[in-house]
Amino acid sequence: MIDLYTYRTANGRKVAIMLEECDLPYNVHVIDITKGEQHTDAFRRINPNQRIPAIVDSEGPEGKPVRVFESGAILLYLAEKCGRLLGTDRTTRLEAIQWLMWQMGGVGPNFGQAHHFRRAAKEQVPYAIRRFTEETRRLWGVLDARLKDHQWVAAGEYTIADMALFPWCLRYEWQGVALEEFPNAKRWFDAIMSRQAVKRGLELPKA
């Protein structure tokens, strides 16, 4: 059994979707980051960085319990555990990992900053709004160009790279983006949204 510690964020949704796609049994533990629950001693023992999501797998490597934090690392761990969603050979695996790292190092940080400065910042900072909006649009352009000749982001099939990107793309309106501006990305977006495992994953956590 896997215990998932999460909240309703893009990174949290990645892992919920992955667990549904893998059809692995799991329990959900809500860590309400709006109340600072990620800073408790109990959660720090699971994730020393005090961020969601994190998992504890009671049947980890060699049958021993293991904790995993950082959403990208969790996706890689679960893909290896279930034996799919990470390409079919070394070349396609490498391709999926590259696009996963692109999400982790580029899309997540920049989309997140765009969300903050466009919607949440107490002070409007025009330079920051312009900087992160422009970079977000550039990254959407990279995604759209990639999907012009590819059904999925990597490996010729649906992988953890798609799962990592999709929850961040859900908030396109927060980024000042219209999906119609990026037709290849929109086709990809709609295809992922239609997956039943994705729909179930987006409902979590329910509390």
Side-chain angles (χ1 to χ4, degrees):
M1 179 65 71
I2 292 173
D3 288 288
L4 168 63
Y5 298 82
T6 192
Y7 198 64
R8 294 186 294 270
T9 68
N11 286 333
R13 285 170 165 164
K14 293 178 194 175
V15 178
I17 289 170
M18 181 61 174
L19 286 165
E20 287 292 334
E21 292 282 6
C22 290
D23 197 28
L24 292 170
Y26 65 95
N27 295 314
V28 177
H29 305 270
V30 179
I31 304 297
D32 191 338
I33 60 176
T34 68
K35 298 178 181 178
E37 292 178 358
Q38 71 275 29
H39 299 302
T40 64
D41 289 340
F43 187 64
R44 186 182 296 111
R45 287 191 288 271
I46 297 168
N47 183 354
N49 194 40
Q50 298 176 278
R51 296 288 187 270
I52 60 93
I55 66 169
V56 176
D57 185 359
S58 62
E59 298 180 358
E62 302 175 358
K64 299 178 180 179
V66 66
R67 71 175 186 186
V68 189
F69 62 92
E70 290 297 321
S71 60
I74 297 171
L75 293 182
L76 285 167
Y77 172 78
L78 294 174
E80 291 177 347
K81 183 180 180 72
C82 71
R84 56 193 186 91
L85 299 165
L86 188 55
T88 55
D89 54 36
R90 293 178 66 182
T91 299
T92 54
R93 174 188 170 91
L94 176 60
E95 191 173 60
I97 290 173
Q98 288 178 86
W99 286 100
L100 172 64
M101 294 302 107
W102 180 70
Q103 184 280 305
M104 299 294 294
V107 168
N110 285 287
F111 283 25
Q113 292 291 343
H115 296 172
H116 176 75
F117 284 107
R118 291 175 61 90
R119 300 183 72 255
K122 295 180 180 179
E123 177 186 353
Q124 290 290 293
V125 183
Y127 170 77
I129 293 170
R130 182 174 65 255
R131 172 183 171 84
F132 290 110
T133 298
E134 289 177 354
E135 179 60 8
T136 291
R137 294 186 65 83
R138 187 191 73 81
L139 291 164
W140 270 96
V142 173
L143 178 63
D144 194 68
R146 171 64 178 177
L147 292 166
K148 180 179 180 180
D149 299 313
H150 297 83
Q151 181 180 5
W152 305 107
V153 172
E157 61 184 75
Y158 178 70
T159 68
I160 59 174
D162 301 287
M163 277 177 265
L165 284 161
F166 176 71
W168 285 100
C169 293
L170 274 174
R171 301 302 189 188
Y172 57 89
E173 292 179 341
W174 293 7
Q175 302 149 20
V177 167
L179 283 179
E180 289 72 20
E181 297 178 83
F182 302 98
N184 304 309
K186 183 179 187 304
R187 184 265 309 156
W188 166 86
F189 182 99
D190 291 342
I192 295 180
M193 183 65 87
S194 69
R195 296 178 70 90
Q196 293 305 308
V198 172
K199 293 178 181 179
R200 293 192 300 271
L202 290 177
E203 293 178 355
L204 298 173
K206 295 183 182 295

